[in-house]
Amino acid sequence: MKAVVDQAGCIGCGLCVGTCPDIFHFNQNDKAEASDTPIPEQQTAKAQQARDDCPVHVIDIR
């Protein structure tokens, strides 16, 4: 599985970065971005929590 953040809708609140910093980080535009690598199994629950808690619902896990 991989996480994807819709850059057009991201408001840069940082909730995902705080919840799952191993997967999410800020880019040069102060928007959240997901790692290009697959989500490690031990990080899946945190990544899903970040997706579920996103206030603008721009995170997808595929």
Side-chain angles (χ1 to χ4, degrees):
M1 287 190 289
K2 288 179 73 172
V4 178
V5 179
D6 175 11
Q7 295 294 294
C10 179
I11 60 172
C13 76
L15 188 63
C16 60
V17 176
T19 301
C20 191
D22 291 334
I23 302 301
F24 300 98
H25 59 275
F26 287 112
N27 63 22
Q28 68 275 11
N29 297 320
D30 295 325
K31 303 266 183 138
E33 205 169 64
S35 172
D36 281 339
T37 60
I39 300 169
E41 188 174 327
Q42 66 271 22
Q43 294 295 321
T44 300
K46 284 185 179 182
Q48 290 172 334
Q49 186 67 50
R51 176 201 58 203
D52 295 346
D53 290 347
C54 177
V56 290
H57 308 288
V58 296
I59 299 173
D60 189 23
I61 296 179
R62 304 173 187 165

mmCIF file with all atom_site columns, all heavy atoms in Angstrom, residues 2-3 7 18-20 23 27 33 36 47 53-54:
data_model
loop_
_atom_site.group_PDB
_atom_site.id
_atom_site.type_symbol
_atom_site.label_atom_id
_atom_site.label_alt_id
_atom_site.label_comp_id
_atom_site.label_asym_id
_atom_site.label_entity_id
_atom_site.label_seq_id
_atom_site.pdbx_PDB_ins_code
_atom_site.Cartn_x
_atom_site.Cartn_y
_atom_site.Cartn_z
_atom_site.occupancy
_atom_site.B_iso_or_equiv
_atom_site.pdbx_formal_charge
_atom_site.auth_seq_id
_atom_site.auth_comp_id
_atom_site.auth_asym_id
_atom_site.auth_atom_id
_atom_site.pdbx_PDB_model_num
ATOM 1  N N   . LYS A 1 2  ? 0.337  2.285  -0.621 1.00 0.00 ? 2  LYS A N   1
ATOM 2  C CA  . LYS A 1 2  ? 1.010  3.577  -0.644 1.00 0.00 ? 2  LYS A CA  1
ATOM 3  C C   . LYS A 1 2  ? 0.002  4.663  -0.313 1.00 0.00 ? 2  LYS A C   1
ATOM 4  O O   . LYS A 1 2  ? -1.172 4.531  -0.612 1.00 0.00 ? 2  LYS A O   1
ATOM 5  C CB  . LYS A 1 2  ? 1.617  3.853  -2.016 1.00 0.00 ? 2  LYS A CB  1
ATOM 6  C CG  . LYS A 1 2  ? 2.847  3.005  -2.310 1.00 0.00 ? 2  LYS A CG  1
ATOM 7  C CD  . LYS A 1 2  ? 3.401  3.285  -3.670 1.00 0.00 ? 2  LYS A CD  1
ATOM 8  C CE  . LYS A 1 2  ? 4.076  4.636  -3.666 1.00 0.00 ? 2  LYS A CE  1
ATOM 9  N NZ  . LYS A 1 2  ? 4.812  4.902  -4.914 1.00 0.00 ? 2  LYS A NZ  1
ATOM 10 N N   . ALA A 1 3  ? 0.503  5.732  0.288  1.00 0.00 ? 3  ALA A N   1
ATOM 11 C CA  . ALA A 1 3  ? -0.340 6.882  0.592  1.00 0.00 ? 3  ALA A CA  1
ATOM 12 C C   . ALA A 1 3  ? -0.113 7.950  -0.467 1.00 0.00 ? 3  ALA A C   1
ATOM 13 O O   . ALA A 1 3  ? 0.996  8.106  -0.989 1.00 0.00 ? 3  ALA A O   1
ATOM 14 C CB  . ALA A 1 3  ? -0.008 7.428  1.970  1.00 0.00 ? 3  ALA A CB  1
ATOM 15 N N   . GLN A 1 7  ? -2.525 17.356 -3.545 1.00 0.00 ? 7  GLN A N   1
ATOM 16 C CA  . GLN A 1 7  ? -1.889 18.638 -3.279 1.00 0.00 ? 7  GLN A CA  1
ATOM 17 C C   . GLN A 1 7  ? -2.836 19.818 -3.463 1.00 0.00 ? 7  GLN A C   1
ATOM 18 O O   . GLN A 1 7  ? -2.710 20.823 -2.766 1.00 0.00 ? 7  GLN A O   1
ATOM 19 C CB  . GLN A 1 7  ? -0.667 18.812 -4.186 1.00 0.00 ? 7  GLN A CB  1
ATOM 20 C CG  . GLN A 1 7  ? 0.440  17.814 -3.912 1.00 0.00 ? 7  GLN A CG  1
ATOM 21 C CD  . GLN A 1 7  ? 1.042  18.020 -2.541 1.00 0.00 ? 7  GLN A CD  1
ATOM 22 O OE1 . GLN A 1 7  ? 1.668  19.039 -2.293 1.00 0.00 ? 7  GLN A OE1 1
ATOM 23 N NE2 . GLN A 1 7  ? 0.831  17.077 -1.647 1.00 0.00 ? 7  GLN A NE2 1
ATOM 24 N N   . GLY A 1 18 ? 2.112  14.855 11.989 1.00 0.00 ? 18 GLY A N   1
ATOM 25 C CA  . GLY A 1 18 ? 2.203  14.583 13.423 1.00 0.00 ? 18 GLY A CA  1
ATOM 26 C C   . GLY A 1 18 ? 1.778  13.172 13.786 1.00 0.00 ? 18 GLY A C   1
ATOM 27 O O   . GLY A 1 18 ? 2.345  12.567 14.689 1.00 0.00 ? 18 GLY A O   1
ATOM 28 N N   . THR A 1 19 ? 0.812  12.642 13.075 1.00 0.00 ? 19 THR A N   1
ATOM 29 C CA  . THR A 1 19 ? 0.289  11.302 13.362 1.00 0.00 ? 19 THR A CA  1
ATOM 30 C C   . THR A 1 19 ? 1.215  10.207 12.847 1.00 0.00 ? 19 THR A C   1
ATOM 31 O O   . THR A 1 19 ? 1.424  9.200  13.516 1.00 0.00 ? 19 THR A O   1
ATOM 32 C CB  . THR A 1 19 ? -1.110 11.124 12.727 1.00 0.00 ? 19 THR A CB  1
ATOM 33 O OG1 . THR A 1 19 ? -1.978 12.117 13.265 1.00 0.00 ? 19 THR A OG1 1
ATOM 34 C CG2 . THR A 1 19 ? -1.679 9.743  13.002 1.00 0.00 ? 19 THR A CG2 1
ATOM 35 N N   . CYS A 1 20 ? 1.778  10.414 11.669 1.00 0.00 ? 20 CYS A N   1
ATOM 36 C CA  . CYS A 1 20 ? 2.584  9.368  11.026 1.00 0.00 ? 20 CYS A CA  1
ATOM 37 C C   . CYS A 1 20 ? 3.783  9.989  10.298 1.00 0.00 ? 20 CYS A C   1
ATOM 38 O O   . CYS A 1 20 ? 3.829  10.007 9.063  1.00 0.00 ? 20 CYS A O   1
ATOM 39 C CB  . CYS A 1 20 ? 1.701  8.580  10.066 1.00 0.00 ? 20 CYS A CB  1
ATOM 40 S SG  . CYS A 1 20 ? 2.457  7.067  9.450  1.00 0.00 ? 20 CYS A SG  1
ATOM 41 N N   . ILE A 1 23 ? 5.744  8.408  7.276  1.00 0.00 ? 23 ILE A N   1
ATOM 42 C CA  . ILE A 1 23 ? 5.131  8.355  5.947  1.00 0.00 ? 23 ILE A CA  1
ATOM 43 C C   . ILE A 1 23 ? 4.880  9.747  5.373  1.00 0.00 ? 23 ILE A C   1
ATOM 44 O O   . ILE A 1 23 ? 5.092  9.989  4.195  1.00 0.00 ? 23 ILE A O   1
ATOM 45 C CB  . ILE A 1 23 ? 3.794  7.566  5.989  1.00 0.00 ? 23 ILE A CB  1
ATOM 46 C CG1 . ILE A 1 23 ? 4.018  6.144  6.502  1.00 0.00 ? 23 ILE A CG1 1
ATOM 47 C CG2 . ILE A 1 23 ? 3.123  7.552  4.612  1.00 0.00 ? 23 ILE A CG2 1
ATOM 48 C CD1 . ILE A 1 23 ? 4.993  5.310  5.686  1.00 0.00 ? 23 ILE A CD1 1
ATOM 49 N N   . ASN A 1 27 ? 6.334  19.397 2.067  1.00 0.00 ? 27 ASN A N   1
ATOM 50 C CA  . ASN A 1 27 ? 7.165  19.690 0.901  1.00 0.00 ? 27 ASN A CA  1
ATOM 51 C C   . ASN A 1 27 ? 7.539  21.180 0.911  1.00 0.00 ? 27 ASN A C   1
ATOM 52 O O   . ASN A 1 27 ? 7.209  21.898 1.858  1.00 0.00 ? 27 ASN A O   1
ATOM 53 C CB  . ASN A 1 27 ? 6.476  19.268 -0.406 1.00 0.00 ? 27 ASN A CB  1
ATOM 54 C CG  . ASN A 1 27 ? 5.181  20.015 -0.668 1.00 0.00 ? 27 ASN A CG  1
ATOM 55 O OD1 . ASN A 1 27 ? 4.933  21.099 -0.154 1.00 0.00 ? 27 ASN A OD1 1
ATOM 56 N ND2 . ASN A 1 27 ? 4.328  19.424 -1.499 1.00 0.00 ? 27 ASN A ND2 1
ATOM 57 N N   . GLU A 1 33 ? 2.940  15.703 2.083  1.00 0.00 ? 33 GLU A N   1
ATOM 58 C CA  . GLU A 1 33 ? 3.308  14.818 0.990  1.00 0.00 ? 33 GLU A CA  1
ATOM 59 C C   . GLU A 1 33 ? 3.576  13.447 1.600  1.00 0.00 ? 33 GLU A C   1
ATOM 60 O O   . GLU A 1 33 ? 4.027  13.354 2.741  1.00 0.00 ? 33 GLU A O   1
ATOM 61 C CB  . GLU A 1 33 ? 4.577  15.369 0.346  1.00 0.00 ? 33 GLU A CB  1
ATOM 62 C CG  . GLU A 1 33 ? 4.811  14.993 -1.070 1.00 0.00 ? 33 GLU A CG  1
ATOM 63 C CD  . GLU A 1 33 ? 5.961  15.818 -1.651 1.00 0.00 ? 33 GLU A CD  1
ATOM 64 O OE1 . GLU A 1 33 ? 7.091  15.680 -1.168 1.00 0.00 ? 33 GLU A OE1 1
ATOM 65 O OE2 . GLU A 1 33 ? 5.682  16.589 -2.573 1.00 0.00 ? 33 GLU A OE2 1
ATOM 66 N N   . ASP A 1 36 ? 7.279  8.083  -1.223 1.00 0.00 ? 36 ASP A N   1
ATOM 67 C CA  . ASP A 1 36 ? 7.086  7.322  -2.464 1.00 0.00 ? 36 ASP A CA  1
ATOM 68 C C   . ASP A 1 36 ? 7.182  5.816  -2.241 1.00 0.00 ? 36 ASP A C   1
ATOM 69 O O   . ASP A 1 36 ? 6.821  5.040  -3.113 1.00 0.00 ? 36 ASP A O   1
ATOM 70 C CB  . ASP A 1 36 ? 8.125  7.725  -3.510 1.00 0.00 ? 36 ASP A CB  1
ATOM 71 C CG  . ASP A 1 36 ? 7.759  9.027  -4.189 1.00 0.00 ? 36 ASP A CG  1
ATOM 72 O OD1 . ASP A 1 36 ? 6.584  9.406  -4.163 1.00 0.00 ? 36 ASP A OD1 1
ATOM 73 O OD2 . ASP A 1 36 ? 8.670  9.661  -4.750 1.00 0.00 ? 36 ASP A OD2 1
ATOM 74 N N   . ALA A 1 47 ? -0.892 5.330  9.367  1.00 0.00 ? 47 ALA A N   1
ATOM 75 C CA  . ALA A 1 47 ? -1.177 5.980  8.092  1.00 0.00 ? 47 ALA A CA  1
ATOM 76 C C   . ALA A 1 47 ? -2.684 6.051  7.859  1.00 0.00 ? 47 ALA A C   1
ATOM 77 O O   . ALA A 1 47 ? -3.207 7.076  7.399  1.00 0.00 ? 47 ALA A O   1
ATOM 78 C CB  . ALA A 1 47 ? -0.493 5.237  6.945  1.00 0.00 ? 47 ALA A CB  1
ATOM 79 N N   . ASP A 1 53 ? -8.290 11.086 9.884  1.00 0.00 ? 53 ASP A N   1
ATOM 80 C CA  . ASP A 1 53 ? -8.355 12.326 10.659 1.00 0.00 ? 53 ASP A CA  1
ATOM 81 C C   . ASP A 1 53 ? -8.137 13.575 9.823  1.00 0.00 ? 53 ASP A C   1
ATOM 82 O O   . ASP A 1 53 ? -8.328 14.690 10.318 1.00 0.00 ? 53 ASP A O   1
ATOM 83 C CB  . ASP A 1 53 ? -7.320 12.297 11.772 1.00 0.00 ? 53 ASP A CB  1
ATOM 84 C CG  . ASP A 1 53 ? -7.665 11.294 12.874 1.00 0.00 ? 53 ASP A CG  1
ATOM 85 O OD1 . ASP A 1 53 ? -8.812 10.801 12.893 1.00 0.00 ? 53 ASP A OD1 1
ATOM 86 O OD2 . ASP A 1 53 ? -6.785 10.997 13.700 1.00 0.00 ? 53 ASP A OD2 1
ATOM 87 N N   . CYS A 1 54 ? -7.752 13.433 8.570  1.00 0.00 ? 54 CYS A N   1
ATOM 88 C CA  . CYS A 1 54 ? -7.495 14.595 7.716  1.00 0.00 ? 54 CYS A CA  1
ATOM 89 C C   . CYS A 1 54 ? -8.757 15.452 7.643  1.00 0.00 ? 54 CYS A C   1
ATOM 90 O O   . CYS A 1 54 ? -9.803 14.966 7.208  1.00 0.00 ? 54 CYS A O   1
ATOM 91 C CB  . CYS A 1 54 ? -7.062 14.151 6.325  1.00 0.00 ? 54 CYS A CB  1
ATOM 92 S SG  . CYS A 1 54 ? -6.802 15.529 5.175  1.00 0.00 ? 54 CYS A SG  1
#
